Amino acid sequence: MALPNDPVEHLIALLARLPGYGRRSARRAVLKMLQEPDRLMRPLAGALTEAAAAVKPCSICGNLDTRDPCQVCIDPHREKKLVCVVEGVADLWALERAQAHRGLYHVLGGTLSALGGVGPEDLSINPLIARIEASGVEEVILALPATVDGATTAHYLADRLKPTGVTITRLAQGVPIGGMLDVLDDGTLAAALKARRPA
Ligand SMILES: [Zn+2]
């Protein structure tokens, strides 16, 4: 969709593309910024530019951070034998907020979807297999959404990971069907991870 030339409409149209923002909330946010340019609009523009320049995907796990490798990957206190596979960075951040996982992560960048035309080569699956083969990882936790696509992906990954000999587990029940990890409360997430079972 083409963006409008008028700067205010342009801004509204851009904001309206963000998750959780419709045109109505985008318009309200833009109005607030226009009314407080020094307190909101200019600092926000600066923060956006700074973040866009500084943040990139971690070349090991796919997390978004100002460092590469990211803070999680270089943290010496992490349990390096444990890798939690998630659909997206939002899930990684949710697990970090809940302090539910002490190991490392691997972000797939989506789930397999026959309808959506997403195949294994579209996701970070080959890098995951290579990573498991090259390191001393002992357990892979599949923390994927409880959707049809999430289950398909978990199945596929379990098959691909089997030859590496790694232990494969998945989140316990308690993750609602179709529920994305990042909307779960921290306690539910921690419990689901703690009570994980063989995949
Ligand atoms: Zn990382």
Side-chain angles (χ1 to χ4, degrees), residues 16-28:
R17 290 180 177 181
L18 295 176
Y21 272 81
R23 279 196 66 83
R24 185 192 174 91
S25 40
R27 204 178 302 115
R28 288 177 58 198

Side-chain angles (χ1 to χ4, degrees), residues 44-81:
L44 190 63
L48 286 172
T49 307
E50 204 179 324
V55 176
K56 39 188 155 329
C58 171
S59 53
I60 298 174
C61 75
N63 187 18
L64 289 171
D65 197 4
T66 51
R67 296 171 180 216
D68 182 18
C70 73
Q71 319 250 16
V72 176
C73 283
I74 60 167
D75 182 350
H77 304 297
R78 291 279 171 164
E79 183 54 79
K80 299 207 164 24
K81 292 174 177 170

